[in-house]
């Protein structure tokens, strides 16, 4: 097939128009094209009076070599082979591999191990997606928190209660495998070609359930409410995983796919002697605006003909500290995302339709090891906990999230009509000064007006800040060697976001796939071409 890039179409463009554009670029007539597949579609909104879609397509023709002889490698090029090929081998592990955690990294590690016939056992401390949904809804309605089955813990990981964004900056060919498996499991087909793919939490729950069912159909096992309490070692290598219920599961291969909020497990790893190190992350607030305002600011008069708009903003303070928006949820809601009693964290979530009244995004400030006040490996985690305890207290307890209008935060006049808060179970007006150290509030106060100059209305006085967004990424890294194994213990493969090696659903899933490949390589399995 031939890849044809930079095909521009108006917002109401049709498939037939796309075929004609592709044929013109190839120098053929449309009927000579045997097949046309959309590979990528992005929206170019840089000029408000010329908003259009840009397509990349793959086309098959009878005589492709003739066309490729004049290909420039940019707008015309051979379509790359993006088919994922499983490692192959005959040697089998003595014991079934164990995957700890069933977020994106653990899920895709288990899926790949199952597809290779290695019959993995998954240990997930939380519940399946349906019991988890009920526990989360109860928390949002009543403030009653289940510390083992919540927004952070359970089938699908923290991403299950989010926007289900599948954008990533990594250029790993395994990304395509992730998207194709999700589409096969029920995600909308457009995730395969949309430049900013998302699923939405309402659809994502079904997707993760279907992937689990595929794993079990292939001989794997997924065990819920199975919390790891320790490890047994033999000559510096894993011998067994110990469960809180007293069970001991013998194995020689463990994918350690913790979520970024598995704080008690991080403490367990420190006691066990794992090599851990601090890592930078970011903390801040969720900021809410009317979605209609964001649409107008991004699309102008074309807003009515386009899906809910998103944005991404960055700023560097005079002191050199980065401030940026993250995990922007068009037409979404702010959600209470606590996993520990007496500590309050928030996150953002959108349904697939993204049709809510408000837009929200994390507005984060970089924090570095020197900010933690200690060289201890888990000092960043305790820094997060301290902020969450202050947010819980500022909200008056009961998991009411502390909120403050941007105008009050910046000390400027005018609050407008007020953006209505979306966070459940409740919110309480408070001051961000009661929660954050000065270096964070100072950075936010400097960044907000600057961002308002780039996105009109971003710093409007009635925009709403909700605290505390503290779980943007893991505060610790579980060190691993060049083979992907734990630096101190053989047979343990730290993977994904909680281990400090990913930053989103797709990158975590890719890291999980890589961990499964490393286990296969240990037994002499090879991928095609190796």
């Amino acid at each position: 097939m031939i890849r044809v890039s930079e095909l521009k179409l108006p917002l109401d463009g049709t498939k037939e128009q796309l075929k004609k554009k592709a044929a013109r670029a190839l120098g053929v007539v449309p009927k000579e094209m045997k097949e046309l597949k959309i590979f990528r579609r992005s929206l170019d909104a840089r000029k408000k009076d010329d908003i259009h879609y840009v397509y990349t397509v793959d086309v098959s023709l009878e005589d492709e070599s003739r066309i490729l002889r004049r290909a420039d490698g940019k707008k015309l090029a051979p379509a790359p082979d993006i088919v994922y090929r499983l490692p192959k081998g005959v040697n089998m592990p003595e014991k079934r591999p164990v995957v700890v955690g069933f977020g994106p990294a653990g899920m895709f590690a288990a899926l790949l191990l199952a597809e290779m016939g290695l019959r993995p056992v998954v240990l997930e401390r939380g519940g399946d997606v349906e019991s988890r949904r009920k526990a989360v809804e109860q928390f949002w309605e009543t403030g009653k928190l289940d510390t083992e089955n919540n927004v952070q813990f359970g089938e699908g990981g923290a991403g299950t209660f989010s926007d289900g964004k599948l954008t990533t900056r990594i250029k790993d060919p395994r990304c395509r495998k992730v998207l194709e498996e999700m589409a096969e499991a029920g995600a909308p087909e457009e995730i395969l070609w949309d430049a900013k793919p998302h699923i939405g939490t309402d659809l994502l729950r079904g997707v993760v359930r279907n992937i689990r069912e595929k794993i079990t159909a292939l001989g794997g096992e997924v065990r819920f409410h199975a919390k790891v309490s320790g490890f047994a070692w033999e000559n510096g290598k894993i011998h067994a995983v110990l469960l809180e219920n007293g069970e001991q599961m013998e194995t020689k291969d463990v994918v350690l796919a913790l979520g970024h909020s598995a704080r008690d497990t991080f403490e367990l790893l420190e006691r066990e002697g794992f090599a851990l190190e601090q890592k930078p992350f970011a903390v801040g607030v969720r900021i809410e605006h009317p979605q209609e305002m964001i649409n107008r600011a991004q699309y102008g008069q074309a807003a009515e003909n386009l899906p809910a708009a998103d944005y991404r903003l960055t700023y560097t303070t005079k002191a050199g500290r980065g401030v940026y928006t993250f995990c922007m949820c068009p037409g979404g809601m702010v959600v209470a995302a606590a996993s520990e009693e007496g500590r309050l964290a928030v996150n953002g979530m959108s349904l697939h339709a993204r049709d809510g009244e408000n837009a929200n995004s994390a507005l984060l400030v970089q924090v570095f090891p020197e900010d933690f006040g200690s060289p201890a490996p888990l000092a960043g985690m305790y820094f997060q906990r301290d902020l969450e305890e202050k947010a819980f207290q500022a909200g008056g307890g009961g998991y009411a999230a502390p909120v403050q209008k941007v105008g009050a935060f910046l000390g400027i006049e005018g609050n407008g009509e007020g953006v209505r808060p979306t966070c459940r179970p409740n919110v309480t007006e408070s001051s961000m000064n009661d929660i954050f150290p000065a270096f964070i509030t100072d950075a936010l106060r400097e960044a907000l007006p600057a961002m308002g100059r780039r996105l009109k209305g971003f710093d409007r006085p009635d925009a709403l800040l909700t605290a505390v967004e503290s779980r943007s990424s893991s505060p610790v890294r579980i060190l691993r060697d060049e083979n992907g194994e734990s630096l101190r213990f053989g047979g343990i493969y730290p993977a994904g976001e909680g281990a400090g090696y990913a930053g989103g659903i797709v990158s975590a899933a890719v890291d999980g796939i890589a961990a499964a490949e490393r286990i296969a390589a240990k037994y002499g399995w090879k991928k095609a071409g190796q």
Side-chain angles (χ1 to χ4, degrees):
M1 299 188 84
I2 300 175
R3 178 154 294 174
V4 186
S5 304
E6 298 183 32
L7 300 176
K8 299 179 181 180
L9 249 67
L11 298 180
D12 58 354
T14 65
K15 188 74 175 284
E16 284 303 311
Q17 288 176 297
L18 184 61
K19 288 180 179 179
K20 290 179 180 178
K21 287 256 186 180
R24 191 176 305 120
L26 290 163
V28 300
V29 294
K31 66 181 181 181
E32 292 182 69
M33 299 189 301
K34 295 191 293 184
E35 184 181 14
L36 181 147
K37 293 182 178 179
I38 298 173
F39 177 74
R40 179 64 56 87
R41 185 189 75 170
S42 59
L43 183 68
D44 187 341
R46 290 172 295 178
K47 297 179 179 179
K48 300 296 185 292
D49 59 347
D50 182 26
I51 297 178
H52 56 271
Y53 286 113
V54 181
Y55 286 84
T56 297
V57 300
D58 292 338
V59 179
S60 63
L61 299 161
E62 195 68 46
D63 185 7
E64 294 180 2
S65 59
R66 176 178 62 85
I67 305 296
L68 289 173
R69 280 195 291 269
R70 62 179 181 81
D72 59 6
K74 295 180 181 179
K75 293 185 178 181
L76 291 179
D81 182 0
I82 57 175
V83 175
Y84 181 84
R85 293 174 176 82
L86 286 171
K88 294 185 180 297
V90 295
N91 298 324
M92 301 295 285
E94 296 176 23
K95 304 287 185 180
R96 296 171 73 177
V98 171
V99 178
V100 179
F102 203 49
M107 181 177 296
F108 275 85
L111 177 61
L112 204 76
L113 291 167
E115 287 181 324
M116 292 187 288
L118 302 187
R119 301 174 58 242
V121 179
V122 178
L123 305 175
E124 167 55 52
R125 67 188 293 173
D128 63 50
V129 73
E130 188 55 33
S131 73
R132 189 180 178 200
R133 182 190 64 79
K134 292 177 181 177
V136 169
E137 282 293 335
Q138 182 184 43
F139 174 51
W140 289 344
E141 289 174 8
T142 68
K144 183 179 179 181
L145 175 66
D146 184 336
T147 57
E148 294 298 330
N149 204 22
N150 47 57
V151 171
Q152 306 298 341
F153 302 145
E155 184 171 20
T160 302
F161 291 90
S162 70
D163 188 45
K165 289 181 184 63
L166 303 178
T167 50
T168 180
R169 297 183 188 180
I170 65 172
K171 303 297 182 182
D172 193 298
R174 300 178 186 91
C175 292
R176 187 69 182 183
K177 166 73 169 173
V178 174
L179 296 179
E180 288 179 348
E181 290 291 348
M182 287 188 162
E184 180 185 307
E189 185 183 9
E190 62 260 27
I191 69 168
L192 297 175
W193 41 263
D194 199 306
K196 295 181 179 180
H198 89 285
I199 299 177
T201 188
D202 49 337
L203 301 186
L204 190 56
R205 292 194 288 263
V207 171
V208 300
R209 182 181 60 247
N210 290 338
I211 293 176
R212 182 235 303 167
E213 291 174 352
K214 182 175 181 178
I215 291 168
T216 57
L218 291 168
E221 180 183 349
V222 181
R223 297 176 59 178
F224 296 107
H225 304 293
K227 187 175 180 179
V228 172
S229 61
F231 304 91
W233 311 103
E234 194 172 84
N235 300 321
K237 296 184 178 180
I238 187 67
H239 172 68
V241 178
L242 311 181
L243 299 183
E244 198 172 54
N245 64 4
E247 187 177 351
Q248 181 170 305
M249 183 168 293
E250 292 188 4
T251 185
K252 293 185 180 297
D253 306 287
V254 174
V255 178
L256 198 57
L258 308 177
H260 55 40
S261 297
R263 292 169 172 172
D264 49 1
T265 309
F266 290 145
E267 291 173 327
L268 166 65
L269 299 183
E270 186 178 39
R271 292 194 301 271
E272 290 276 351
F274 278 75
L276 309 175
E277 71 175 10
Q278 300 177 346
K279 63 178 283 291
F281 55 100
V283 297
V285 296
R286 279 273 152 183
I287 185 167
E288 288 191 87
H289 303 89
Q291 181 62 50
E292 183 183 7
M293 183 210 88
I294 302 298
N295 294 344
R296 291 198 309 271
Q298 295 292 70
Y299 298 148
Q301 294 182 350
E304 293 182 3
N305 301 316
L306 288 166
D310 63 4
Y311 59 79
R312 182 174 177 271
L313 301 170
T314 62
Y315 177 78
T316 302
T317 68
K318 295 173 182 176
R321 198 177 291 268
V323 184
Y324 60 95
T325 62
F326 174 76
C327 188
M328 192 270 162
C329 296
M333 62 214 77
V334 179
V335 298
S339 58
E340 297 176 315
E341 293 285 359
R343 300 184 177 110
L344 176 64
V346 296
N347 195 8
M349 187 176 83
S350 291
L351 304 181
H352 178 69
R354 289 178 164 177
D355 56 359
E357 179 181 342
N358 286 1
N360 77 80
S361 174
L363 179 59
L364 303 176
V365 179
Q366 288 178 321
V367 293
F368 303 99
E370 52 266 32
D371 298 316
F372 303 156
S374 168
L378 301 184
M381 185 185 84
Y382 297 126
F383 178 88
Q384 290 176 327
R385 272 182 168 168
D386 180 65
L387 293 180
E388 292 174 15
E389 288 170 6
K390 289 177 179 175
F392 184 82
Q393 294 161 5
Y399 298 101
V403 298
Q404 187 175 24
K405 292 180 180 178
V406 166
F409 178 68
L410 296 178
I412 59 177
E413 294 291 332
N415 283 323
E417 296 179 0
V419 177
R420 291 188 291 184
T422 58
C423 190
R424 294 187 294 159
N426 207 347
V427 299
T428 300
E429 288 193 24
S430 186
S431 170
M432 297 299 122
N433 294 336
D434 296 335
I435 301 166
F436 296 103
F439 76 85
I440 291 178
T441 52
D442 289 348
L444 291 173
R445 286 190 174 98
E446 185 179 335
L448 274 162
M451 291 179 171
R453 290 190 287 271
R454 292 181 54 194
L455 181 65
K456 185 178 180 182
F458 188 80
D459 60 340
R460 58 189 277 172
D462 64 340
L464 197 66
L465 306 178
T466 307
V468 57
E469 169 77 64
S470 53
R471 311 284 183 97
S472 62
S473 65
S474 181
V476 62
R477 181 171 286 114
I478 307 170
L479 298 181
R480 61 191 190 190
D481 63 18
E482 64 276 6
N483 296 319
E485 291 183 88
S486 166
L487 205 55
R488 292 181 184 162
F489 300 112
I492 298 275
Y493 297 83
E497 191 161 343
Y501 295 98
I505 292 174
V506 173
S507 61
V510 163
D511 205 48
I513 291 173
E517 291 173 350
R518 289 170 181 135
I519 291 174
K522 176 180 174 180
Y523 296 98
W525 292 43
K526 295 183 178 180
K527 295 186 71 174
Q530 290 183 330

